[in-house]
Amino acid sequence: MTRVRLNVAERREEMLRAAVEQIGMRGVAAVRVSDVASALGVSNALVLYHFSTKEKLVAAAFAHAAEGDLAHLRRLLGRRTTAVRRLRSAVRWYAPTGRAEGWRLWVEGWAAALREPALREVTRDLDRRWKAAITEVIAQGVAAGEFRCPDPAASALRLTALLDGLAVQLTSYDGAVSRARARAWADEALARELGLDPKALTAPER
């Protein structure tokens, strides 16, 4: 089958998508440049031409995945509705209980980041940007008088720490906690941080 000729940006995008998929299947430690090349039907040399080393390919793949996640978060938090509803949507998507995908990839990434400085910088940047986005919307809700929260940044840290921990439990230890319970805990944590009754998270808009 004749392959479509891609420009440099398109080729890199294709390789990054393939790398994310292969990391998800095999794990960071086991994945090889040849796995990515084979999945695309190209040579190892072509992959290395674009990324030079496996470590740089892996870091770029995680950065690519992170940008996709952050773009979706921005869409959720940018909706024209109340801050409470935007936060609820973001927390439910972030938690490994709803439509969020790829948690196995990120658990792999956190583990590998302990040994790979480039990957550690990617995961640290993702973490910082998630917290900043959540902090901003909490502050908007406070300013609009929707709820009270004395320290939006601390609330964002506590919320994401809980969700990250639940993700590890659900991804690594089958049956450790049910998805329904994890979702209930996430809702309860959000309500607590905003000083609201949990029922307020599901109240219909007026």
Side-chain angles (χ1 to χ4, degrees), residues 73 76-77 79 81-94 133-142 146-147 156 159 163 187 190 194 196 201:
L73 176 67
L76 291 175
L77 295 181
R79 294 164 55 215
T81 186
T82 64
V84 169
R85 286 182 171 271
R86 285 181 284 154
L87 287 165
R88 184 194 64 184
S89 295
V91 165
R92 287 187 172 184
W93 177 74
Y94 186 111
I134 298 294
T135 298
E136 181 180 2
V137 179
I138 293 175
Q140 290 172 359
V142 171
E146 291 185 38
F147 46 77
L159 280 169
L163 298 175
D187 282 353
L190 177 59
L194 304 183
L196 297 173
L201 299 180

Side-chain angles (χ1 to χ4, degrees), residues 7 11 18 32 40 66 69 90 146 162:
N7 62 36
R11 178 67 74 192
R32 302 168 298 176
L40 295 175
D69 285 351
E146 291 185 38
L162 170 67

